[in-house]
């Protein structure tokens, strides 16, 4: 199911520096057509269906249509990703709908800390050649070696 | 054909950006994010600079871009020695036990951090039921670090709500980079959308790293990085074999289609020793969508059978034992494939996994609400990491609680972190293990200053996402140590202009010749990258044991295939790229070709069938412990483009 | 999905051309050109009108478009009974011996005409050397008709310089049409570039033909033909299985990629009985270019071996005999495949044909000039009919006199004229043979007035180009006879508007929906024909015994595959076509789907492995003469879209 | 080796009603671009490499480049079809050249007769239900039937 862009819905991310879908696609597939100011998947045959473009599009302009070389027509998986959960609507070929909601994170995006709790230590550079990651060294974990 | 030259007569010369750093992290996946995180802690106080370059956006790059539904390596209540036994067995007796044992010592720390950073981890409820990460928090369940009980699918695996797994790990990795940037006062130390094509060696010492070169897929820019030490964190190799999809679906692979063997190709070209490159992973997967089976087999306790309802691992055990003796009983991943393939060849397909029976059985003791939760869990497994498979269910009107699904062994992948062990030969930790497994810096390759982790580090599979992160951290710490020991900035021989000409040649070729015919796709003067990939995939499939021979190859088939690969190597310099996007495809395919040849040469060298179910040598169908219970290593000469393959000793460290 | 309707809201309605004729010849290949030629002679004096419709240009349409290097059916000094024995044996014991014997009585007459019309035929020189058609003429050698000695490659095959074979046969066919046009005073009786989508039945008698409908791929025109009798002369079925090429090369098939099963689909939809649709042809071919092997084996006496140098037909005979007993010794085409496949599966590939040894051996007794001639003969074989294979040699620096070539069994084809026997169930000649093989008109199907020949006529393979032409002539004569007996013009129920809406629906769909997304290829409202074809090919390959299972299937696999085919049938009404060219692809694929389902249903019905090397039923691996030495026939209900398969008696006419 | 058109050489068949390549391709692949008045193969993946377009082009503007998904680069087979013979130049990847000449017909195109020699007979319509093609009936051939 390569991704596709619904012509009406895409606003080209309002002419911003980089569009959300171009920004996110791990395989460099999404591209903005500068004439129409609409995005498209420039190489559907390389699409992994990771749905990252779908999840990120501010206009909900991107959906995925199952790879036609092996999937029958008519189904869709549609995500709605919030700040801490994701809602999925799964539409079957025969019209049956299933809905699911899953946690995605327990701390808001952009607010995790790498200096809190056990991470709040100063490393001892002189011990760099001893075993142990910095957190483990700090906690004084001792390392087993094989008998 | 005439050799091609690029003197920028038909395209604009790119801007050349030269960036100097101390630690260069190539890739921004699980391993490299671990490296960035750990290295920051050791490097920043000393003003040592850390730079990351990722071909994509760190938020969603690498194998975990879509998410994952499980963390497959969490030691917890178990112990490291047992982990080594498990991995050794699954990898058919040959593994770097020092690396595996070492990994088991660190891995849980990364998992605990993930949870700290906001990754929802399933927990056991009071009645032993499964709670998702939010329910567990609401129920006040402690974190793993605090003794919370994970929902174990297997002895080593725990369940998570992993849709945002990479976003979270990436955020921490980027935070480490940002802390380092601030500490060292550099302007930029994260380069996204830059594809690295090769590592540069020191001009005086070719066995030492000095930098790397790549290009932006967004702007007309060449990037030259100078560094003291570099990490290869580029993941595994995907789509170098013909897949089972035929058209639109070819981007659907189980492993990430964007990881193109850069680790192995760049490592080899830099002179680093490779190990067990004959090894591959052929996962049995839900057909077409490549949905993973782990949760289904381990958590939901589903059974797979042939079309006659037989458990092929039982009915074919005797036949398998003829060649593979004791390895059949200590059954591992490839052996399960082997027994499935026996039945497929015999026409006893389709092979099905009985999701319906599994869910109905689990449901027998559940009330309606719990049953709904179970159904959601079943769907989440795919919606978290293989959404296509959920799509395949929906498209075929298949509800997993009502009908079974077909299983299919996939095309081969090379990777060092999952149930496979291809990769670079790296130094072990040094505090135990034999002397020939240690050369100064944990996870350093045989090239001085060049490190790797995750899929890049060979002979030590079953790290998975968590282990890759932890191993990246180990490497990060070692890299800082290496930097401290080697404070001088090395230099390379290549000039900026030479590098620019080399990297952009495919674009010059396109601009120069494409007008010759009325269709730029069909032109006698060049070949487009997509066709290079198709040709490579077909050669590998037909001669190197792909799906269309049921993974069968032989000395004669390999020799034939290598002669075709040789011509492909001659032809790849004629690749043409219309734009930066296609230039990316050109270089990805160069990497695939080098990695693929390593694979073929290693299979040719190892005269036995060590991994039945992954591939077969028709001329040496059995396992031959007498002669081949050893590592097979190789080096590559980037000038002659030839591999030399040889043996290295396997040392058993953990007794049976 | 919502059903699609076409009320021409988004596309322009086509011009509707209604053409009335007496004999309608659908197709313009070897068979139909024979029909046109013979029918003219019988019809023109009586004012009976003959019309031909070809999807392409008759000069270069059908399987012989590129040319051929041999005429594979020329009886000459041999006799009809021996021909029957040969064909029966090659087709594993079951053949319509009346049809085969009948064909042998006519075929040479067509070959003699070809030579009259200017086809160069190789002749034996005074020293028994081979002379090409021009040398023979210069040397004053008599024509075949006059007793000239052909160069026989095999007992039934003779060599020709066949680059222009179809141009010549087409010119004669067109001359026949033109003579008839003049005689009957019609304005036009040859319609090229018109693709027929279906035959129309009589509105009162659905078991009778009344016309056909199609469209022009050049102009926006719907063509409705009214006729008393029609010939299905549309060739075989190609590319309904996944081929071995993966991308650009997918158009390269051995048999003509443009013949898309129209004969079988339109025949079935019209209500005609099908026979042996389980049969297929899987030719062993020079790898990748699909160069035929006949001349190499028979004329140049090349040997094929596995990678160990063994003749697999010798070394595997004992193993093959376990299941196939006497059929192994009376070795036929599929059995040769079977023994090759045994070695391929065992990893004893690549299989090679030793062209080098063959040419060197023949060369031992030749002087330089004769050796040059021999080399030219070797190249001509491919340059006449499979130029790609010459290209594959050149591209790989392979000179056939220096190195051997790899052989590969191809993807399956359905055809009734070559070494296969799928097709329509037709009446025999009636002057001999059992009563149940004759119903009034030679080569008439079970639909009144609907005839077929060449690839269309089943249970009687090994006609090849010459036999197809001759059979077309037989049918032509019968059709005139039928016309004389049935002088009334039938009528059909469908209105012009209904037909227009049906035929052009894919274009309306495209015009209506394509703007919904920014890429017309990826659109949830429709499917493009190329993807329908890819889906079909994948289903057939994986479940119905294609190359990727080494031709293995079973009852359970077929049942699974048929359930996927069912959904494809539901989906094909959602095809979208951007232009007339794509509309052609849409309807071609509709034909492929119907033909493919017939194939799968027949394989499912026949519970044995009658054609080892072509396909295997894993659940019934042996030949079962007890239960299955019979014809398997079927009828199709175009409304329910269901096949009914049943047995019909095989009668032996020629004793062993 | 799908066919390709050399931009410089194609003259669009001088704007004629139908171009030679469109006329001949059995698979309806060749198409004329009405803007540039140049032809191209609209679906290379369907090309059988029958070379009919190559042989017919009056400008020698069409060649074939071996299917890149399995053939190495650099080879070519180039036909020159005359009235009674065809000349082939086969260029190997390594530059080696082979040349061949074969007969194609013994009677000029357009001049064959269907009423000459044995064909010069009037059929006897009353015998239409007897065995034998018209030429055979006229020659009084008798038909074997199986013993
Ligand atoms: C895809 C996938 C993966 C897994 C699973 C299912 C699926 C569907 N399963 S299950 O099957 O068991 O279900 C696992 C699971 O559930 N649990 C688990 O812990 N791990 C699983 N994995 C495995 C892990 O994901 C894997 O072990 C780790 O991610 C490996 O980490 P690492 O070695 O860092 O590779 P990466 O893919 O994360 O990152 C690669 C990075 O390199 C970049 N890159 C690549 N080439 C580059 C170049 N030339 N220049 C610049 N950048 C360049 C990439 O962009 C990326 O940043
Ligand atoms: C492709 C090919 C074929 C052969 C061979 C090698 C190769 C590479 N070999 S070797 O391998 O042994 O080398 C043979 C050989 O050397 N010698 C020989 O005598 N025969 C060989 N064949 C077989 C013969 O060619 C074959 O038996 C006959 O051509 C069959 O005749 P016929 O049944 O008439 O089919 P056709 O393909 O010629 O003609 C089909 C016509 O139908 C048209 N058509 C199709 N669908 C239509 C539709 N829906 N509407 C309108 N028109 C619609 C086509 O355009 C065409 O006109
Ligand atoms: N049938 C099985 N038996 C035991 N372990 C399995 C089985 N299937 C998968 N696994 C393990 O489950 C984890 C995830 O596997 P997968 O989902 O196949 O990637 C890996 O550790 C596998 O080795
Ligand atoms: N090895 C062989 N032995 C006998 N006959 C063959 C062999 N190969 C091909 N033929 C016959 O030669 C003719 C052309 O075959 P092919 O070139 O394979 O289409 C057909 O009549 C085949 O049955
Ligand atoms: N390959 C197969 N696929 C599906 N069913 C099979 C297959 N082989 C055997 N069977 C059926 O399984 C049952 C037991 O078969 P047997 O193997 O003969 O004991 C019979 O009903 C067979 O028809
Ligand atoms: S993210 Fe959405 S709105 Fe923005 S360019 Fe892409 S498709 Fe258009
Ligand atoms: S689904 Fe994933 S791979 Fe496909 S275009 Fe979107 S982001 Fe890219
Ligand atoms: S036949 Fe030749 S000149 Fe004419 S349109 Fe085609 S390519 Fe151009
Ligand atoms: S080579 Fe043949 S199939 Fe290909 S475009 Fe030319 S005429 Fe058409
Ligand atoms: Na393919």
């Amino acid at each position: 199911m390569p991704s596709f862009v619904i012509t009406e819905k895409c606003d080209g991310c309002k002419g911003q520096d980089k569009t959300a879908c171009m920004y996110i696609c791990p395989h460099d597939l999404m591209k903005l057509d500068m004439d129409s100011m609409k995005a498209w998947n420039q190489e559907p045959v390389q699409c992994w269906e990771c749905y990252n473009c779908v999840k990120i599009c501010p206009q909900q302009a991107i959906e995925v249509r199952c790879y036609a070389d092996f999937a029958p027509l008519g189904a869709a998986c549609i995500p709605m990703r919030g700040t801490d959960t994701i809602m999925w609507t799964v539409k079957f070929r025969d019209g049956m709908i299933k809905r699911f909601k899953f946690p995605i994170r327990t701390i808001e995006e952009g607010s995790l800390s790498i200096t809190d709790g056990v991470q709040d230590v100063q490393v001892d550079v002189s011990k760099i050649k001893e075993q142990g990651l910095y957190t483990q060294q700090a906690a004084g974990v001792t390392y087993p070696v094989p008998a | 054909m005439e050799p091609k030259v690029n003197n920028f007569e038909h395209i604009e010369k790119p801007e050349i950006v030269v960036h100097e750093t101390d630690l260069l992290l190539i890739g921004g996946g699980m391993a490299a994010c671990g490296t960035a995180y750990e290295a920051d802690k050791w490097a920043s106080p000393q003003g040592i600079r850390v730079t990351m370059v990722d071909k994509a956006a760190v938020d969603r790059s690498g194998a975990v871009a879509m998410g994952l539904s499980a963390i497959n390596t969490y030691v917890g209540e178990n112990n490291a020695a047992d982990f080594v036994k498990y991995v050794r067995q699954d990898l058919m007796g040959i593994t770097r036990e020092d690396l595996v044992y070492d990994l088991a010592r660190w891995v849980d720390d990364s998992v605990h951090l993930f949870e700290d950073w906001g990754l929802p981890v399933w927990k056991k409820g009071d009645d032993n039921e499964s709670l998702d990460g939010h329910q567990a928090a609401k129920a006040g369940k402690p974190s793993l670090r605090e003794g919370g009980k994970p929902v174990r699918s297997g002895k080593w695996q725990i369940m998570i709500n992993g849709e945002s797994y990479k976003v979270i790990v990436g955020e921490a990795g980027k935070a480490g980079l940002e802390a380092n940037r601030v500490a060292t006062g550099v302007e930029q130390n994260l380069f996204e959308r830059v594809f690295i094509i090769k590592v540069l060696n020191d001009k005086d010492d070719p066995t030492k790293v000095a930098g790397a070169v790549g290009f932006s897929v967004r702007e007309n820019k060449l990037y030259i990085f100078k560094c003291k030490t570099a990490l290869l964190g580029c993941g595994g190799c995907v789509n170098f074999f013909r897949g089972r999809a035929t058209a639109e679906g070819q981007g659907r692979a189980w492993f990430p289609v964007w990881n193109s063997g850069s680790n192995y190709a760049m490592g080899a070209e830099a002179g680093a020793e490779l190990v067990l490159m004959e090894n591959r992973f052929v996962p049995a997967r839900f057909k077409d969508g490549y949905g993973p089976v782990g949760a289904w087999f381990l958590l939901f306790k589903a059974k797979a059978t042939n079309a006659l309802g037989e458990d092929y691992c039982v009915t074919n055990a005797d036949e398998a034992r003829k060649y593979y003796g004791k390895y059949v009983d200590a059954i591992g991943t490839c052996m399960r494939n082997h027994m499935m393939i026996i039945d497929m060849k015999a026409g006893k397909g389709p092979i099905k996994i009985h999701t319906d029976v599994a869910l109905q059985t689990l449901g027998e003791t559940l009330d309606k609400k719990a049953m709904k939760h179970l159904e959601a869990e079943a769907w989440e497994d795919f919606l978290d990491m293989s959404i296509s498979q959920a799509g395949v269910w929906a498209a075929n009107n298949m509800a997993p609680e009502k009908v079974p699904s077909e299983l299919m062994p996939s095309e081969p992948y090379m990777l060092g972190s999952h149930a496979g062990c291809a990769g670079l030969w790296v130094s072990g930790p040094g505090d135990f293990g034999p002397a020939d497994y240690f050369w100064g810096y944990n996870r350093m390759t045989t090239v001085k200053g060049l490190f790797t982790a995750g899929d890049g580090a060979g002979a030590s599979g079953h790290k998975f996402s968590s282990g890759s992160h932890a191993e990246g951290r180990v490497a990060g710490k070692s890299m800082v140590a290496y930097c401290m020991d080697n404070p001088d900035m090395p230099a390379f021989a290549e000039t900026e202009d030479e590098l620019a000409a080399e990297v952009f040649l495919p674009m010059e070729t396109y601009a120069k010749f494409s007008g010759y015919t009325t269709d730029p796709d069909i032109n006698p003067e060049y070949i487009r990258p997509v066709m290079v990939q198709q040709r490579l995939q077909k050669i590998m499939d037909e001669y190197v044991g792909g799906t269309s021979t049921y993974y069968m190859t032989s000395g004669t088939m390999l020799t034939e295939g290598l002669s075709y690969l040789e011509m492909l190597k001659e032809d790849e310099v004629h690749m043409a790229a219309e734009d930066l996007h296609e230039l990316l495809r050109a270089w990805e395919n160069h990497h695939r070709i080098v990695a693929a040849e390593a694979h073929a040469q290693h299979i040719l060298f190892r005269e036995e069938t060590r991994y039945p179910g992954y591939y077969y040598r028709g001329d040496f169908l059995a396992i031959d412990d007498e002669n081949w219970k050893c590592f097979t290593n190789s080096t590559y000469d980037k000038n002659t483009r030839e591999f030399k393959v040889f043996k290295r000793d396997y040392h058993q460290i953990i007794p049976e």
Side-chain angles (χ1 to χ4, degrees), chain B residues 4-23:
Chain B
K4 297 266 190 313
V5 286
N6 177 12
N7 33 32
F8 291 104
E9 272 177 28
H10 299 82
I11 56 167
E12 204 190 318
K13 211 173 152 177
E15 181 186 331
I16 297 178
V17 181
V18 181
H19 181 85
E20 194 181 288
T21 188
D22 298 303
L23 276 71

Side-chain angles (χ1 to χ4, degrees), chain A residues 5 9-13 19-21 30 32 39 56-59 61-62:
Chain A
V5 174
K9 290 190 181 173
C10 170
D11 65 2
C13 282
T19 72
C21 55
M30 298 306 299
L32 186 68
I56 209 173
C57 172
Q59 299 296 320
I62 314 186

Side-chain angles (χ1 to χ4, degrees), chain A residues 49 98 129-130 134-135, chain B residues 37 109 375 388 477 485:
Chain A
E49 290 186 356
K98 291 197 187 253
K129 295 218 175 161
E130 292 175 18
Y134 90 96
T135 33
Chain B
Y37 173 78
D109 194 73
E375 194 198 353
S388 303
K477 187 173 160 228
D485 293 346

Side-chain angles (χ1 to χ4, degrees), chain B residues 306-308 310 343 346-350:
Chain B
N306 67 17
L308 309 164
E310 297 164 346
D343 276 3
K348 295 185 184 167

Side-chain angles (χ1 to χ4, degrees), chain B residues 285-341:
Chain B
R285 286 292 175 260
F286 280 67
K287 184 167 177 288
D288 292 332
Y290 291 84
V293 299
W296 281 102
F297 279 131
L298 304 180
L299 181 68
F300 303 123
K301 315 268 181 259
K303 299 264 174 286
T305 68
N306 67 17
L308 309 164
E310 297 164 346
D311 179 342
Y312 45 82
C313 289
V314 174
T315 50
N316 291 327
D318 283 343
E319 185 178 336
R321 250 181 237 111
K322 283 182 210 156
Y323 281 117
Y324 308 113
K326 63 173 184 183
Y327 288 96
V328 175
D329 298 296
I331 191 170
T333 312
C334 69
M335 198 58 75
R336 276 195 299 273
N337 278 6
H338 176 57
M339 306 219 244
M340 176 194 290
I341 291 168

Side-chain angles (χ1 to χ4, degrees), chain B residues 72 86 90 157 254 281 283-285 292-295 297-298 333 336 385 418-419 462 464:
Chain B
N72 281 345
Y86 165 67
D90 203 62
Q157 298 87 354
W254 160 68
F281 185 36
R285 286 292 175 260
V293 299
F297 279 131
L298 304 180
T333 312
R336 276 195 299 273
M385 63 174 172
H418 202 282
H462 291 271
F464 294 99

